């Protein structure tokens, strides 16, 4: 199993709105892709007007991630309204082999 992780930063007062947006776009896209084993989104208030947002998804293999992300699986996938929300973002994702559960 492969864990795929991405982080971005939004204004704290827009966290709920961004989470709802990503539920409809990114997380729905993950979950609709064959080979996806689940997805979560985490938030953390940084106390300075920003919140860190992390998405974590689980996949059967690196190969099935291509069905969601395309050939360059290390590049983050963005959606049309992301620019309206994100103050900053990672443009890449990390992949980790899940070795114990």
């Amino acid at each position: 199993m492969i864990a795929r992780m991405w982080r971005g930063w939004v204004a704290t007062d827009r966290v709920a709105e961004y989470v709802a947006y990503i539920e409809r776009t990114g997380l729905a896209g993950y979950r609709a892709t064959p080979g996806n084993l689940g997805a979560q989104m985490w938030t953390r208030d940084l106390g300075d007007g920003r919140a860190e947002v992390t998405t974590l998804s689980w996949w059967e293999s690196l190969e099935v991630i291509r069905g969601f992300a395309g050939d360059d699986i290390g590049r983050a996938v963005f959606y049309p309204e992301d620019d309206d929300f994100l103050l900053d973002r990672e443009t890449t994702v990390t992949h980790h082999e899940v070795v114990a559960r």
Side-chain angles (χ1 to χ4, degrees):
M1 178 189 318
I2 305 296
R4 176 181 170 95
M5 185 179 295
W6 170 85
R7 293 182 318 152
W9 295 266
V10 299
T12 304
D13 62 357
R14 296 195 72 195
V15 168
E17 186 182 359
Y18 185 65
V19 168
Y21 170 66
I22 293 302
E23 277 281 352
R24 292 188 312 270
T25 57
L27 296 182
Y30 292 164
R31 294 173 179 143
T33 303
N36 176 264
L37 303 172
Q40 293 180 325
M41 187 173 196
W42 308 337
T43 63
R44 179 170 71 114
D45 188 334
L46 299 176
D48 63 0
R50 297 176 309 139
E52 181 179 87
V53 177
T54 302
T55 59
L56 181 63
S57 54
W58 294 273
W59 304 84
E60 291 176 355
S61 67
L62 291 172
E63 184 58 38
V64 301
I65 294 171
R66 285 181 177 81
F68 168 74
D71 288 334
D72 185 359
I73 63 170
R75 186 178 55 202
V77 174
F78 295 105
Y79 298 90
E81 295 178 37
D82 281 337
D83 289 340
D84 295 338
F85 289 102
L86 293 169
L87 302 173
D88 198 5
R89 69 186 91 187
E90 293 179 339
T91 58
T92 59
V93 298
T94 57
H95 296 99
H96 306 266
E97 185 175 352
V98 178
V99 297
R101 296 196 292 170

